[in-house]
Amino acid sequence: MRAAIYVRLSRETEETTSPERQRVACEQLCAARGWTVVAVEEDIDVSGFSRGLERPGLQKILERLDEFDVIVFFKIDRLARSTVDFAEIMNITEAQSVALASATEPLDLTSSMGRAMTKVIAVFAELESDTIGMRVAGAHEHLRREGRYTGGRVPYGYEVAPNPDGAGKVLVVNQEEAKTIHTIVKRVLAKDSLIQIAIDLTEADIPSPGHTSRQTTGKRSNSKKWYTTSLRSLLSNPQLLGQVIEDGKPILRTDGLPLVNRPPILDMDTWQALQDELGRRSNNPGERRREATSLLRGVAHCALCGFRSARRMRRSGGAPTWPGSGICCSALARTSRWPPRRRPARSLT
């Protein structure tokens, strides 16, 4: 069997598990089993706990699994400090039919008993993962109720700042973005179309909520372009009231009311009026068509036939079609006849 030896040491001063001792013990096991050592990789001054599987020496072995039949290490804690990491390594190597063997412990996955041990280890790995998840969730909930920022995407209109009352960070109002929000809300309540608002924001070179200049984690975009979908998502987000949202729903206090742990950008009256207006547009098909319509609809007329010009969409949902342009006269839209009968052109003035 072809064997790869893995050696890891967190600190060079650890005399009891020096790289030389680890390597010798692994070589002795290989010699006793009749295995041929084809590679030796080391991670010196590398923590197995904080680095997880992201270790140079370990990655070199995992990338060459098709060249090995077994990976030999001094002790389990040299390969992985966490049972979760160890279980992941087992899954990766098992998928490639590569065994694991410890030079100093009765754990040998080349034997039936050793493979049976993996079942037990997998159970404890799952238990540890669940326990960590519960601790993290509990810690995040505690921080949120204290008004502190727990990481993740920063809501539009806010920015991360040091906690003035102690450790950690909090979300405070970003004045420039809050000004943009108030301008958007004012225009929506004045019946301006969302598509025109999105166009104006894009032309003003105002970064969109998901732009890389705002977000450091999660889904980001290099484009500053605004869309009606991003506007609706922003304007219908209760975080504008200072509420904390998790999995799309507000976190509730013990009295059943939404948890508010940051300064609101909109007051409740404005928020309610905004939701009423957005709801009216969603429930009115004609309003949705008005928002998506062309700017020249009902204004421009065909110079050949005098009919009003209209956009004509492909049946496949593609771009508007028209010989030489993106619009066609309403006569052509109805009859698909070209050229239409000439009529005196109407003046736009």
Side-chain angles (χ1 to χ4, degrees), residues 70-120:
V70 60
I71 299 174
V72 183
F73 44 89
F74 184 69
K75 292 177 62 176
I76 290 179
D77 63 0
R78 298 300 91 195
L79 183 65
R81 282 288 191 183
S82 166
T83 54
V84 173
D85 290 342
F86 187 57
E88 185 175 352
I89 293 174
M90 284 194 301
N91 290 334
I92 295 173
T93 55
E94 189 177 72
Q96 298 290 327
S97 300
V98 177
L100 301 175
S102 172
T104 60
E105 299 164 320
L107 176 62
D108 181 0
L109 300 187
T110 63
S111 65
S112 298
M113 184 60 70
R115 286 191 293 272
M117 289 292 294
T118 64
K119 306 296 183 181
V120 178

Side-chain angles (χ1 to χ4, degrees), residues 203-218:
E203 292 180 348
D205 201 33
I206 297 176
S208 60
H211 189 256
T212 51
S213 64
R214 297 197 63 261
Q215 304 292 348
T216 58
T217 60

Side-chain angles (χ1 to χ4, degrees), residues 123-327:
V123 171
F124 281 97
E126 183 177 359
L127 176 62
E128 180 183 10
S129 179
D130 291 344
T131 303
I132 291 175
M134 292 173 61
R135 288 203 304 265
V136 170
H140 281 187
E141 182 177 359
H142 173 71
L143 292 176
R144 283 192 294 263
R145 295 190 182 280
E146 285 193 342
R148 289 162 61 180
Y149 172 62
T150 58
R153 293 178 65 85
V154 180
Y156 193 83
Y158 293 93
E159 60 186 356
V160 182
N163 183 11
D165 300 324
K169 297 181 179 180
V170 296
L171 291 179
V172 298
V173 175
N174 180 307
Q175 298 301 327
E176 286 298 320
E177 293 181 354
K179 181 179 178 180
T180 299
I181 292 174
H182 284 290
T183 300
I184 295 172
V185 171
K186 183 177 180 180
R187 293 187 60 179
V188 170
L189 295 179
K191 313 301 182 183
D192 281 4
S193 69
L194 293 183
I195 191 170
Q196 186 58 52
I197 296 175
I199 292 173
D200 293 343
L201 291 171
T202 301
E203 292 180 348
D205 201 33
I206 297 176
S208 60
H211 189 256
T212 51
S213 64
R214 297 197 63 261
Q215 304 292 348
T216 58
T217 60
K219 187 176 181 181
R220 290 164 288 177
S221 172
N222 291 322
S223 173
K224 294 183 178 181
K225 188 173 182 179
W226 287 74
Y227 299 90
T228 56
T229 52
S230 57
L231 279 174
R232 282 189 173 275
S233 177
L234 168 64
L235 299 176
S236 60
N237 194 334
Q239 292 187 102
L240 295 178
L241 295 172
Q243 297 180 11
V244 183
I245 306 300
E246 185 176 80
D247 297 330
K249 298 180 181 179
I251 295 180
L252 303 180
R253 304 183 312 194
T254 55
D255 58 5
L257 295 177
L259 174 65
V260 177
N261 67 359
R262 63 189 69 132
I265 295 177
L266 299 180
D267 59 73
M268 184 57 70
D269 291 339
T270 303
W271 165 263
Q272 194 57 59
L274 177 62
Q275 302 314 303
D276 291 344
E277 174 61 20
L278 293 175
R280 183 187 67 80
R281 299 187 186 201
S282 298
N283 296 326
N284 187 342
E287 189 71 23
R288 290 199 300 269
R289 286 196 300 269
R290 186 181 69 83
E291 286 191 354
T293 192
S294 303
L295 296 180
L296 294 179
R297 179 170 178 165
V299 177
H301 290 73
C302 179
L304 295 176
C305 67
F307 282 102
R308 290 193 302 272
S309 298
R311 288 167 64 92
R312 183 184 183 190
M313 305 301 293
R314 298 183 190 274
R315 288 185 180 274
S316 60
T321 62
W322 175 247
S325 71
I327 59 175

